[in-house]
Amino acid sequence: MELTGAQILLESLRREDVEVVFGFPGGAVIDIYDQLPNYPLLQHVLARHEQGAIHAADGYARATGRVGVCLVTSGPGATNAVTGIATAYMDSVPVVIITGQVPTPLIGNDAFQEVDIVGITRPCTKHNFLVKDVRDLPKVIKEAFYLAATGRPGPVLIDLPKDVQQAKCVYNYPKQIKMRSYNPTYAPNPKQVAKVADVVRKAKKPIIYAGGGVIASNASEDLTWLARTFNIPVTATLMALGCFPADDPLWLGMLGMHGTYAANMAISGADLILAVGSRFDDRVTGKLSEFAKNAKIVHIDIDPTSIQKNVAAGIPVVADCKSFLMALRQTLEADVSDASAAPVRDTPWLARLASWKEEKPLAYEQGTDVIKPQYVVEIISRLTKGEAIITTEVGQHQMWAAQFYQFTKPRSFISSGGLGTMGFGFPAAIGAQVAFPDRLVIDVAGDGSIQMCIQELATAVCYGLPVKIVILNNGYLGMVRQWQELFYAKNYCSTCLDVAPDFVKLAEAYGAAGFRVSDPGQVESVLTEAFALPKTVIVDVVVDREENVAPMVPAGKSITEMILV
Ligand SMILES: Cc1ncc(C[n+]2csc(CCOP(=O)(O)OP(=O)(O)O)c2C)c(N)n1
């Protein structure tokens, strides 16, 4: 049977088991929208801005581990999505973006709403396609989903000209895909695994440094087995929070610029670092020449180009994190007769870490006058027992959420790490809530960031999504103000948000509920009430204006040079 390009696209999305598409229409995709009602199993969520649509698709992907799908029109629709594409790219999130394009004969003619989105997104997609012939479309879609989800995941863009959407051909969807030049390595080299097992047995001061790859490959359980069985303390990047339970004594907290004292000291003093699915980002390493000088570094990553990129790894392992940890487990299990046997290692190392944790914990003092932002996150953590899906915007609130929420499960912390995109958290929360209608999804926001995609309140209300936004409202672009305070002689240039909307009224104007709280004694009751409401809610929490995130490693310094208060 012959189908149009638009029909082929939608039919193929169903065959890929896509359940939801986040999008925004326009002339260059109207043919696709025209067909949408014929595919009732494909839910379309209409965002109010293309940036909202792509972040929502991204949030859906991070919460579920499945490929998120985003559909936007040509020209400004496509460029509005670029920030979200780059966000997904930096954090290795699998999304497929379909952009409309002007008809093929007009490409390159400065046609109305034409933009070279393939050229624009080349550096921030894993791959992109311009489809010129409708007969190529099924194969392109199959390849796009395959590329997005396999190897190091990432965004893949399909640019679809209007005449290709209208052209017809016989539809055959490929069952399997083979791309000769693309063969990600999943299974680790057994010799490398044996080497790692050996150094794990011998190390006196080992540490696991977990990155987003642990979450992406669903390797948390195996990582937890390794840590507990061999008594190896665990630290993680922002992207990996939740991969190891925060209430375990082996948990050191996040490392890096706003990492804990214990984690940064531990990584600096370790003799063995097992870097699992992490990329040695500069926010983690600080001054590279000072980073982990005494350690043997084992680096496991599915992307061979990320190994040896920033830090020299003594034992490089190209593999999927889960496959590697399973193989390591098999090798090491011979060491312990019973996998749940008592830990085999009990060293002064662990005692030292415990004392670091005790001497210099994450701390703040909550008085009776002003609400401390850390306190709000602690209350959220307590009320939700670590079971909520927390998304964040970018800034101080993001770091407080990372530091003070006790994450117990993978895929429960969703935040823009690599790109650091203000405006990400709320639409990402919408995507997560679409995926999990019955879970509590909370966007911890700053008063600056939330204004970047605030229009998505209409989306949340329209689809009855009970997302909660908790604004830690300090009246500043707080994280920039903190840098100005510490490193620019308090020159608070353009960081004071003097004019702000009344967030309670704003919520109500969109049909959501709004609360405001400024008394520390009322934080808990207001949040309890807000979380129980089955609708979209903004809680505007007026917090201490000039509270800082601590510890802090000044940019370019070694991670042991922390400012502690
Ligand atoms: C799109 C974008 N623009 C600018 C920045 C730079 N930036 C990083 S944090 C920050 C301040 C964020 O302020 P707010 O959302 O109020 O959060 P707070 O730091 O006060 O918690 C800014 C401007 C960014 N990360 N993203």
Side-chain angles (χ1 to χ4, degrees):
M1 198 179 56
E2 287 210 326
L3 298 182
T4 64
Q7 290 169 322
I8 289 173
L9 171 71
L10 296 173
E11 187 63 39
S12 306
L13 293 185
R14 278 306 303 156
R15 304 238 180 146
E16 289 294 332
D17 291 325
V18 174
E19 288 170 350
V20 53
V21 175
F22 299 89
F24 199 90
V29 283
I30 201 165
D31 290 274
I32 301 168
Y33 278 86
D34 187 51
Q35 288 298 325
L36 255 179
N38 299 329
Y39 294 84
L41 291 179
L42 214 51
Q43 187 195 359
H44 179 265
V45 173
L46 173 66
R48 297 306 192 262
H49 187 297
E50 288 84 356
Q51 187 180 351
I54 178 76
H55 288 328
D58 176 323
Y60 175 92
R62 294 190 205 218
T64 59
R66 306 181 59 186
V67 178
V69 179
C70 175
L71 168 63
V72 297
T73 194
S74 66
T79 52
N80 272 351
V82 171
T83 298
I85 296 171
T87 303
Y89 182 69
M90 289 291 279
D91 289 344
S92 307
V93 181
V95 277
V96 168
I97 307 101
I98 299 125
T99 48
Q101 184 53 282
V102 301
T104 41
L106 295 186
I107 290 179
N109 287 7
D110 284 350
F112 177 65
Q113 293 197 327
E114 181 192 0
V115 82
D116 174 12
I117 197 63
V118 166
I120 289 173
T121 60
R122 184 149 285 151
C124 62
T125 47
K126 184 170 170 187
H127 195 68
N128 58 20
F129 299 90
L130 169 61
V131 186
K132 289 190 179 148
D133 185 329
V134 69
R135 286 167 298 183
D136 297 337
L137 189 54
K139 183 163 167 276
V140 163
I141 298 169
K142 188 82 194 168
E143 288 185 357
F145 275 83
Y146 178 64
L147 285 166
T150 54
R152 180 179 188 165
V156 179
L157 183 137
I158 305 172
D159 200 21
L160 202 50
K162 192 172 167 92
D163 55 328
V164 179
Q165 294 169 37
Q166 292 169 340
K168 284 187 167 180
C169 74
V170 175
Y171 178 62
N172 272 317
Y173 198 58
K175 283 205 176 61
Q176 275 182 344
I177 202 76
K178 250 208 173 139
M179 299 175 74
R180 271 205 304 169
S181 54
Y182 176 76
N183 290 304
T185 305
Y186 279 77
N189 179 329
K191 280 192 190 142
Q192 297 298 84
V193 176
K195 272 194 202 166
V196 179
D198 202 42
V199 292
V200 167
R201 288 182 193 113
K202 288 184 184 143
K204 297 237 169 347
K205 298 189 285 179
I207 181 169
I208 293 173
Y209 149 40
V214 175
I215 307 261
S217 70
N218 300 316
S220 294
E221 207 187 307
D222 301 283
L223 182 120
T224 305
W225 177 88
L226 178 69
R228 286 184 174 157
T229 310
F230 287 86
N231 244 341
I232 307 176
V234 182
T235 181
T237 65
L238 185 76
M239 299 312 300
L241 294 177
C243 78
F244 187 76
D247 55 4
D248 192 294
L250 289 166
W251 174 241
L252 297 173
M254 184 171 75
L255 83 166
M257 181 175 273
H258 292 297
T260 62
Y261 181 78
N264 284 351
M265 294 304 284
I267 202 130
S268 302
D271 64 355
L272 173 66
I273 295 175
L274 294 172
V276 192
S278 43
R279 63 191 169 95
F280 295 92
D281 177 90
D282 59 286
R283 282 291 191 268
V284 160
T285 61
K287 192 175 182 182
L288 261 182
S289 57
E290 296 294 316
F291 181 74
K293 278 184 170 158
N294 307 315
K296 184 169 208 80
I297 294 180
V298 177
H299 190 181
I300 302 107
D301 205 297
I302 194 149
D303 177 4
T305 68
S306 93
I307 294 178
Q308 315 292 18
K309 190 168 183 175
N310 298 327
V311 165
I315 309 182
V317 183
V318 179
D320 166 67
C321 295
K322 187 173 173 68
S323 308
F324 166 79
L325 287 170
M326 281 166 61
L328 185 66
R329 180 172 180 165
Q330 268 184 358
T331 312
L332 288 172
E333 246 166 5
D335 289 19
V336 275
S337 48
D338 172 4
S340 61
V344 295
R345 193 196 313 273
D346 180 16
T347 63
W349 174 236
L350 291 177
R352 173 131 34 108
L353 300 193
S355 73
W356 278 332
K357 278 209 283 190
E358 218 162 274
E359 281 163 25
K360 298 198 166 63
L362 291 170
Y364 66 93
E365 268 176 42
Q366 178 59 67
T368 48
D369 300 342
V370 198
I371 300 173
K372 292 287 182 183
Q374 301 93 325
Y375 174 68
V376 182
V377 176
E378 280 202 334
I379 297 280
I380 297 174
S381 186
R382 183 145 52 78
L383 289 178
T384 61
K385 302 185 186 69
E387 301 273 324
I389 296 178
I390 302 292
T391 70
T392 75
E393 307 293 334
V394 170
Q396 292 180 309
H397 61 277
Q398 177 189 32
M399 293 301 125
W400 286 317
Q403 293 175 332
F404 288 90
Y405 193 93
Q406 299 272 305
F407 293 98
T408 56
K409 291 195 182 85
R411 301 194 184 281
S412 54
F413 181 63
I414 295 177
S415 190
S416 167
L419 201 65
T421 310
M422 292 171 72
F424 169 80
F426 178 38
I430 288 178
Q433 188 80 79
V434 167
F436 296 105
D438 299 329
R439 286 187 66 182
L440 186 54
V441 182
I442 304 167
D443 174 34
V444 176
D447 48 322
S449 297
I450 195 60
Q451 296 185 60
M452 288 215 171
C453 279
I454 193 77
Q455 74 288 341
E456 299 307 327
L457 272 173
T459 311
V461 170
C462 172
Y463 293 92
L465 300 171
V467 172
K468 314 290 180 256
I469 302 170
V470 178
I471 302 176
L472 302 181
N473 190 343
N474 52 17
Y476 277 117
L477 296 170
M479 187 56 100
V480 184
R481 187 210 58 75
Q482 176 168 340
W483 283 55
Q484 289 172 329
E485 177 188 329
L486 297 175
F487 312 117
Y488 293 86
K490 294 200 176 183
N491 178 16
Y492 293 168
C493 178
S494 298
T495 42
C496 182
L497 299 175
D498 281 332
V499 175
D502 178 331
F503 287 111
V504 174
K505 282 192 187 149
L506 187 73
E508 288 166 0
Y510 273 103
F515 295 82
R516 178 169 299 112
V517 55
S518 51
D519 174 355
Q522 287 177 356
V523 173
E524 183 158 354
S525 59
V526 170
L527 287 177
T528 307
E529 189 182 344
F531 293 169
L533 270 187
K535 58 193 294 193
T536 316
V537 180
I538 288 186
V539 187
D540 182 20
V541 189
V542 182
V543 298
D544 192 345
R545 292 206 70 191
E546 300 202 359
E547 184 69 10
N548 284 343
V549 181
M552 177 175 195
V553 177
K557 296 270 186 185
S558 146
I559 57 170
T560 52
E561 295 176 78
M562 282 163 277
I563 302 171
L564 284 165
V565 274

